[in-house]
Amino acid sequence: MNIKQSIVLRVRVVFILIALFAAAIPYQIIKLQFEEGDQWRAKAETINFQYREVPATRGNIYAGDGSLLATSLPFYRVALDPTMAKSDVFKTGIDSLANNLSAFYRDKSAASYKRMISDARLDKKRYIVLNRRQIGYQDMQKMSNWPIFRQGRLGGGVLFEKVEKRYQPFKSLASRTVGFINEDDYGAGIEYSFNNYLKGQTGKALFQRLAGGSWKPVFDAEDVKPEDGYDVITTLDVNIQDVAETALLRQLIDRDAEFGSVIVMEVKTGQIKAITNLQRNKSGNGYGENYNFAIGDQGNTEPGSTFKLFSMLALLEENKVSLEDKVETGNGSYRFYDRIMRDAKNGGYGTITVREAFEKSSNVAISKLVEENFGSSPSKFLAYLDQVGLNEPFDFQLVGEGKPFFKKPGTKTWYGTSLPWISIGYESKLNPLHTLALYNAVANNGKMMKPYIVKGIAKGNRVEERFDPVVMRDEIASEKTIKQLQELLEGVVANGTAKNIASEDFKIAGKTGTAQKLENGRYTKNYYTSFAGYFPADRPKYSMIVVIDSPKGFAAYGGDVSAPVFKEIAYRVYALDMELNPTNQQTIASETSEESPMPVIRAGHAQEIHQILEELGVAADATQNEEWVQTWAAEKTVKWKNNPVDQTTIPDVAGLSLRDALFILENKGLKVDYTGKGRVKAQSIPAGTKINPNSTINLTLG
């Protein structure tokens, strides 16, 4: 075969192959169209159209008085299907729409917006995002009336895609307690613990996949609307919470401490009124709520001398000691087995009564008493933990509650010194919540209440589920023992380690605590300081615990560090609570006689005064444009004048209630001390003086 024939043969083979391939194409098209068409069309549907989840609006979180602690605010991203509008609607409206978009977003010219929308329409694009910036509900309503947009989703192609953001109106207030939850359903606090209530029921809607991987919602009769979440109503009091955070933060800064916690609880019910946790930020600059030390595992630590209340309970229940019995502490050191225990006072206390031992917080005395009476049967001492209810978690409503820990006789960790050291708050672990529950039970005449922070689940104005007070122990000890413990706690403040917080206005009962911190297996000179107690001692309404970790400086003990914070919070709460401090009401009543029924209000918040006068049916000669005012009575009318609260100078707080004066002055960064009762009669820094941040102003009440 010559070369020519070979070439011709090859060409014919290639031609035949091309012909066969060309014939196969129509065959495959016919096969796909008729034999496999349904299968591939169904697959295309699943790829390009999907029913996807539509999140529900998350429920709100409220304080006990109805103040909003967390809510979901709706924001919207504006998108458009430029092919939906009819030609006449598009032509007459595109210029005005482009002008409105340019004026609103201010990121590009009207011509740019017009070109972007028109080009997308020509290219038959079904979905474009006009601007990534999210807008609020009011702006969405306004945009809905713009040209083209006013035709709606089907007539104009506009899509307002809802994006919800969690918002806390009080910012950082109780932020860790309110908590958070992320996209992976991990979180903390109320948001996480009550997520099943708050998240609601997701819906479903049909979405179409577009070029670029974006999805556009498509109206479909089978869409299922999401069901909004339930609201959670807490027991928190925002005023008490604010007071607690302010006082704790001030002391943490002054003492350069690592972290601190405060819990305020209502004695009769166990309702948590405030819970704050502040920890030094990793940068070392300032403090933030990064972990709930008040209830969590990391808050489980050796409680120190606040645990001596439990030791006294066990001793008194056994009828082994009386408060006037004498105990020898010698020079303040005593050997237990192979270790020396020491008192805080150099040289010791010598011979003192049991009452004095508790008031002065003598380690030697308490440990000797416990060792003498329970040394042969330490299990009997620890059995009182079950009687009191401190041996197990409380099943608190927030996830992450720490579990108490106590060594047990007969185990490998039990040692010859374990009992005396446990008796004064070492070789054991409790979180502040458990310690407070014990003190609250003593304040409540022996009845231990279960602490709780959420009191209801609601939908709109209807409460769907209530959480009522729960009694964990009807009596943690005999009535006689409880009365003696109450005496001891009052004595600590009257005569003992917390004399510095004694008050002339109301009685405080409580106990200081100072525990050396265990680091790398050795006790250091860093301290975990605390004060737990309740007030007013003669008619307890609130119990409270304050803990501050690793304070710096001289006298870094519970009585010097934590107790003053307790006193400051107690004073503020006492002033805010009209049930405990009805002085203002009495003052108004005494200034109102039968001859002259006009109330002498003196000064206050204009809106509140106006509401009071409306209730009393008294005329007010004033406008309501002012915020803070000073008032006086004239014939049958109450008149007032504006009392401006300038941002840079000290305001005039004369005549204001203590609550209002504290609100104004502390919001300006001033520290406030006061004496007396009633309304503000005098202030140490004259009104109009330029404010010096962190300075202290003294108020005289009368």
Side-chain angles (χ1 to χ4, degrees), residues 110-417:
S112 296
Y113 272 110
K114 180 179 179 180
R115 184 167 55 252
M116 177 180 71
I117 298 171
S118 298
D119 289 348
R121 182 178 173 90
L122 287 173
D123 294 339
K124 299 190 182 305
K125 288 184 179 180
R126 302 299 305 272
Y127 179 86
I128 58 171
V129 176
L130 295 176
N131 196 292
R132 294 289 175 185
R133 195 178 107 198
Q134 295 169 2
I135 63 172
Y137 179 78
Q138 296 297 328
D139 288 331
M140 187 270 285
Q141 292 290 91
K142 181 172 69 175
M143 282 187 175
S144 297
N145 293 313
W146 288 358
I148 299 178
F149 283 6
R150 69 171 64 105
Q151 305 299 322
R153 181 169 68 171
L154 298 178
V158 65
L159 298 168
F160 292 108
E161 298 177 344
K162 191 174 181 182
V163 179
E164 291 191 339
K165 291 184 178 180
R166 207 64 173 157
Y167 174 70
Q168 295 184 12
F170 289 97
K171 305 300 181 185
S172 63
L173 192 74
S175 61
R176 188 69 189 191
T177 303
V178 173
F180 69 94
I181 190 164
N182 63 20
E183 293 178 355
D184 298 323
D185 284 340
Y186 170 79
I190 295 169
E191 292 276 21
Y192 179 63
S193 303
F194 286 81
N195 184 46
N196 285 338
Y197 289 102
L198 289 164
K199 68 180 182 180
Q201 187 68 42
T202 57
K204 68 175 184 178
L206 184 64
F207 284 77
Q208 181 184 7
R209 184 182 180 91
L210 303 173
S214 59
W215 290 87
K216 183 188 78 168
V218 179
F219 176 76
D220 187 83
E222 294 185 12
D223 286 356
V224 177
K225 289 186 178 181
E227 186 176 329
D228 293 347
Y230 289 91
D231 297 331
V232 172
I233 305 170
T234 73
T235 62
L236 294 173
D237 184 307
V238 291
N239 292 317
I240 298 177
Q241 180 74 31
D242 184 42
V243 165
E245 288 191 16
T246 301
L248 178 63
L249 178 60
R250 183 182 296 128
Q251 188 72 319
L252 290 175
I253 294 173
D254 288 348
R255 287 295 190 144
D256 192 24
E258 289 300 316
F259 71 82
S261 295
V262 174
I263 311 174
V264 182
M265 187 158 69
E266 193 172 69
V267 170
K268 298 299 181 184
T269 64
Q271 289 188 2
I272 302 294
K273 293 300 177 182
I275 180 169
T276 180
N277 301 273
L278 295 173
Q279 181 183 20
R280 190 195 305 278
N281 294 326
K282 290 182 179 180
S283 63
N285 183 24
Y287 293 84
E289 284 215 327
N290 304 313
Y291 184 80
N292 198 333
F293 292 96
I295 67 166
D297 280 324
Q298 293 183 37
N300 267 16
T301 189
E302 293 174 314
S305 294
T306 53
F307 191 71
K308 290 174 182 175
L309 181 67
F310 172 82
S311 297
M312 288 304 307
L313 181 148
L315 289 167
L316 293 170
E317 279 291 272
E318 289 289 308
N319 292 313
K320 299 290 182 69
V321 299
S322 71
L323 299 185
E324 307 310 322
D325 287 347
K326 297 293 176 61
V327 57
E328 177 59 51
T329 68
N331 63 356
S333 64
Y334 189 83
R335 179 180 290 276
F336 291 96
Y337 197 54
D338 61 352
R339 291 174 62 187
I340 301 296
M341 180 174 288
R342 291 183 172 83
D343 278 332
K345 181 184 177 183
N346 293 328
Y349 298 105
T351 302
I352 55 178
T353 64
V354 172
R355 184 189 301 275
E356 290 172 325
F358 188 82
E359 292 174 352
K360 299 177 186 299
S361 199
S362 169
N363 295 330
V364 170
I366 300 298
S367 295
K368 281 184 69 175
L369 290 169
V370 170
E371 181 69 18
E372 289 170 2
N373 291 283
F374 293 99
S376 60
S377 56
S379 296
K380 192 173 184 180
F381 175 80
L382 295 174
Y384 278 101
L385 292 170
D386 291 322
Q387 176 175 315
V388 171
L390 290 183
N391 220 6
E392 295 294 334
F394 291 152
D395 189 25
F396 190 59
Q397 290 172 313
L398 299 188
V399 173
E401 178 187 0
K403 184 178 181 180
F405 167 78
F406 294 93
K407 289 184 175 181
K408 294 182 179 180
T411 61
K412 291 182 179 180
T413 59
W414 189 264
Y415 193 63
T417 59

Side-chain angles (χ1 to χ4, degrees), residues 347-573:
Y349 298 105
T351 302
I352 55 178
T353 64
V354 172
R355 184 189 301 275
E356 290 172 325
F358 188 82
E359 292 174 352
K360 299 177 186 299
S361 199
S362 169
N363 295 330
V364 170
I366 300 298
S367 295
K368 281 184 69 175
L369 290 169
V370 170
E371 181 69 18
E372 289 170 2
N373 291 283
F374 293 99
S376 60
S377 56
S379 296
K380 192 173 184 180
F381 175 80
L382 295 174
Y384 278 101
L385 292 170
D386 291 322
Q387 176 175 315
V388 171
L390 290 183
N391 220 6
E392 295 294 334
F394 291 152
D395 189 25
F396 190 59
Q397 290 172 313
L398 299 188
V399 173
E401 178 187 0
K403 184 178 181 180
F405 167 78
F406 294 93
K407 289 184 175 181
K408 294 182 179 180
T411 61
K412 291 182 179 180
T413 59
W414 189 264
Y415 193 63
T417 59
S418 290
L419 181 61
W421 258 256
I422 288 173
S423 71
I424 60 169
Y426 287 91
E427 299 193 20
S428 56
K429 289 185 178 181
L430 281 178
N431 61 33
L433 184 68
H434 278 74
T435 300
L436 179 59
L438 171 62
Y439 280 75
N440 192 82
V442 173
N444 201 23
N445 295 320
K447 182 181 291 186
M448 178 171 274
M449 306 303 298
K450 181 178 179 178
Y452 70 109
I453 197 168
V454 171
K455 63 181 181 179
I457 305 297
K459 176 76 78 170
N461 295 323
R462 186 177 70 255
V463 176
E464 301 286 346
E465 185 174 353
R466 296 181 186 276
F467 301 100
D468 296 318
V470 174
V471 179
M472 293 194 295
R473 299 286 189 279
D474 283 317
E475 50 182 41
I476 62 170
S478 66
E479 183 178 348
K480 178 183 176 183
T481 294
I482 294 298
K483 294 299 181 187
Q484 289 176 308
L485 294 177
Q486 291 172 344
E487 286 181 34
L488 290 174
L489 292 173
E490 290 184 39
V492 170
V493 179
N495 312 304
T497 55
K499 285 191 297 184
N500 57 315
I501 69 167
S503 166
E504 295 180 359
D505 299 316
F506 58 92
K507 285 185 177 181
I508 295 174
K511 179 73 182 73
T512 57
T514 307
Q516 286 182 278
K517 296 194 66 178
L518 186 66
E519 298 175 3
N520 299 320
R522 299 178 65 87
Y523 285 104
T524 67
K525 290 299 181 182
N526 290 328
Y527 298 104
Y528 177 85
T529 72
S530 58
F531 186 89
Y534 53 88
F535 65 96
D538 54 347
R539 48 193 174 104
K541 182 171 183 181
Y542 299 104
S543 61
M544 185 188 346
I545 186 168
V546 178
V547 299
I548 295 179
D549 182 79
S550 302
K552 309 295 190 302
F554 179 73
Y557 301 111
D560 305 294
V561 180
S562 295
V565 177
F566 185 104
K567 179 182 180 180
E568 181 179 348
I569 297 170
Y571 259 80
R572 300 289 192 262
V573 172

Side-chain angles (χ1 to χ4, degrees), residues 10-24:
R10 291 176 185 176
V11 170
R12 287 174 178 173
V13 170
V14 171
F15 177 78
I16 292 170
L17 291 174
I18 293 174
L20 290 173
F21 180 75

Side-chain angles (χ1 to χ4, degrees), residues 502-685:
S503 166
E504 295 180 359
D505 299 316
F506 58 92
K507 285 185 177 181
I508 295 174
K511 179 73 182 73
T512 57
T514 307
Q516 286 182 278
K517 296 194 66 178
L518 186 66
E519 298 175 3
N520 299 320
R522 299 178 65 87
Y523 285 104
T524 67
K525 290 299 181 182
N526 290 328
Y527 298 104
Y528 177 85
T529 72
S530 58
F531 186 89
Y534 53 88
F535 65 96
D538 54 347
R539 48 193 174 104
K541 182 171 183 181
Y542 299 104
S543 61
M544 185 188 346
I545 186 168
V546 178
V547 299
I548 295 179
D549 182 79
S550 302
K552 309 295 190 302
F554 179 73
Y557 301 111
D560 305 294
V561 180
S562 295
V565 177
F566 185 104
K567 179 182 180 180
E568 181 179 348
I569 297 170
Y571 259 80
R572 300 289 192 262
V573 172
Y574 186 81
L576 291 169
D577 193 317
M578 296 306 296
E579 180 182 322
L580 295 178
N581 184 32
T583 306
N584 293 339
Q585 294 172 337
Q586 294 171 359
T587 301
I588 291 174
S590 65
E591 293 173 339
T592 304
S593 65
E594 292 183 2
E595 293 80 9
S596 176
M598 298 297 297
V600 181
I601 304 173
R602 297 194 187 131
H605 193 271
Q607 185 177 359
E608 292 179 357
I609 293 175
H610 196 272
Q611 289 174 349
I612 292 171
L613 295 177
E614 282 187 341
E615 288 290 328
L616 296 175
V618 176
D621 182 14
T623 67
Q624 294 186 55
N625 296 326
E626 302 89 350
E627 183 177 9
W628 297 94
V629 296
Q630 292 179 330
T631 66
W632 68 94
E635 298 178 351
K636 294 183 179 181
T637 302
V638 171
K639 296 188 176 182
W640 68 46
K641 65 177 182 179
N642 188 29
N643 185 20
V645 181
D646 186 76
Q647 294 297 318
T648 59
T649 61
I650 300 291
D652 182 3
V653 294
L656 289 174
S657 67
L658 179 59
R659 181 192 66 177
D660 288 340
L662 290 174
F663 176 82
I664 293 173
L665 296 172
E666 289 187 343
N667 277 337
K668 292 182 175 296
L670 296 168
K671 298 178 182 178
V672 184
D673 287 333
Y674 63 91
T675 57
K677 298 180 180 180
R679 291 178 174 266
V680 178
K681 187 166 62 176
Q683 58 191 79
S684 62
I685 305 177

